[in-house]
Amino acid sequence: MTEIRTPLRRRPAQRRSAERVQRMLDACAEILDEDGYDGLTTTRIAQRAEVAIGSVYQFFPDKRAVAQALALRNLESFGERVSARIAAEDFADWSDTVGAIIDIFVEMHRSVPGFRVLRFGDVADINLLDAGASNNAVVADRLRELIVEVFGAADGTGLERALAVAVEAGDAVLKMAFRSDPAGDPAIIAEAERLIHGYLAAHISGD
């Protein structure tokens, strides 16, 4: 299991401080959409969030840390949406959740500020979420925990490897879908679902 450390220099103790940090993350997301990671600076974050630059440095050492906090917020939102979708629908098997998970990812890509640029952090650092694991490995680990908890799937290296491969493959194909169409090419998104579902279903039948 990955151990994600907070990028915050210190956690906000008061509601006003917590709200200020969220404004900084919102500002970061807006700037990423406008000018990408290269256009992101702590000064611009402070200006957009309407806080003093000292307030940014009070909580974050640099722009990378702000991006890391935003990527973590994306990851938490993704996990919450997946959990809610699984709870709301009657899936026959955990491999049948692939379409729902891809739908959620695509919707976040289209509607969540900053997500299309940052997603789970690769634009800043492939190890942004955890110094000891790739961002995709962290996402795969979160999905593994959920699948074991909800579906009672047998945990172990086999499941861990299968989800790691599925997330890496899905990430590559979905990047292709959004590279050819800013809203995501529906045909390629459908191929991503077919590819990953087929792989995971074969993994289950082979167990």
Side-chain angles (χ1 to χ4, degrees):
M1 183 183 298
T2 52
E3 294 290 339
I4 302 174
R5 295 181 179 178
T6 176
L8 290 168
R9 275 181 159 159
R10 69 178 184 83
R11 293 185 182 277
Q14 299 178 341
R15 181 177 177 180
R16 282 182 57 190
S17 296
E19 290 173 348
R20 192 158 64 245
V21 168
Q22 290 305 312
R23 288 209 312 274
M24 294 175 200
L25 299 186
D26 292 341
C28 176
E30 292 173 6
I31 296 166
L32 286 171
D33 275 342
E34 293 169 7
D35 297 309
Y37 187 70
D38 289 341
L40 185 69
T41 67
T42 51
T43 298
R44 291 191 68 189
I45 292 169
Q47 291 172 342
R48 183 66 61 91
E50 298 182 341
V51 300
I53 187 66
S55 291
V56 177
Y57 287 121
Q58 182 180 12
F59 294 101
F60 300 103
D62 50 32
K63 76 171 188 177
R64 181 184 182 279
V66 185
Q68 184 182 7
L70 181 61
L72 286 169
R73 190 171 78 173
N74 288 343
L75 179 63
E76 292 306 314
S77 177
F78 177 69
E80 290 168 1
R81 292 176 188 219
V82 170
S83 294
R85 184 75 174 270
I86 289 175
E89 297 187 26
D90 185 22
F91 293 101
D93 190 272
W94 66 263
S95 66
D96 295 331
T97 65
V98 170
I101 292 171
I102 289 177
D103 285 347
I104 290 164
F105 181 89
V106 169
E107 177 56 29
M108 289 183 69
H109 201 288
R110 291 170 176 165
S111 65
V112 175
F115 190 82
R116 67 179 178 83
V117 176
L118 183 66
R119 301 202 292 178
F120 302 116
D122 281 10
V123 69
D125 186 340
I126 62 169
N127 300 107
L128 188 67
L129 294 175
D130 187 308
S134 71
N135 301 324
N136 278 345
V138 174
V139 174
D141 192 57
R142 287 293 177 89
L143 291 174
R144 180 186 59 78
E145 291 174 353
L146 183 62
I147 286 165
V148 170
E149 178 183 351
V150 175
F151 293 96
D155 201 1
T157 56
L159 179 63
E160 183 178 0
R161 185 185 307 111
L163 288 173
V165 170
V167 169
E168 287 288 348
D171 181 53
V173 178
L174 289 171
K175 281 179 180 175
M176 177 183 174
F178 284 100
R179 189 165 58 242
S180 61
D181 183 343
D185 186 312
I188 297 178
I189 291 170
E191 287 299 303
E193 180 180 345
R194 188 167 70 91
L195 174 72
I196 303 308
H197 183 271
Y199 167 72
L200 291 176
H203 168 79
I204 293 170
S205 65
D207 286 347

